[in-house]
Amino acid sequence: MSKMKTKKSVSKRFSLTGTGKIKYKKMNLRHILTKRSSKRKMHLREAGILSEDSARRIRKQMLPYG
């Protein structure tokens, strides 16, 4: 039986925190930023934390064993 591999696209987009939560970078901060308010851009800079039901699915793809 071959090795179970990590989904590389998932491992590039998400990261695990020390407590096991899934952290991700928010979208919509790449280009055409002039129409967005400073407040909105400031909040988009913060990292997001996935909800536990979504995190369970992503964790399964990041870590093949669990």
Side-chain angles (χ1 to χ4, degrees):
M1 188 169 158
S2 61
K3 292 181 181 179
M4 292 178 67
K5 296 184 178 179
T6 301
K7 298 272 192 260
K8 286 301 184 180
S9 60
V10 172
S11 65
K12 290 172 188 175
R13 287 171 174 80
F14 300 98
S15 61
L16 276 171
T17 62
T19 57
K21 296 177 181 176
I22 306 286
K23 188 172 68 168
Y24 67 98
K25 183 160 175 47
K26 294 181 183 171
M27 61 180 192
N28 294 326
L29 201 63
R30 296 294 185 205
H31 62 106
I32 315 176
L33 298 173
T34 52
K35 63 175 78 169
R36 304 207 171 99
S37 68
S38 299
K39 183 179 179 181
R40 184 172 173 194
K41 290 187 282 191
M42 180 180 64
H43 287 296
L44 286 172
R45 273 185 238 130
E46 301 167 0
I49 301 291
L50 279 181
S51 62
E52 191 49 44
D53 54 338
S54 298
R56 200 173 299 120
R57 191 179 64 228
I58 297 297
R59 200 176 290 118
K60 196 176 287 186
Q61 293 177 350
M62 285 179 74
L63 309 170
Y65 49 83

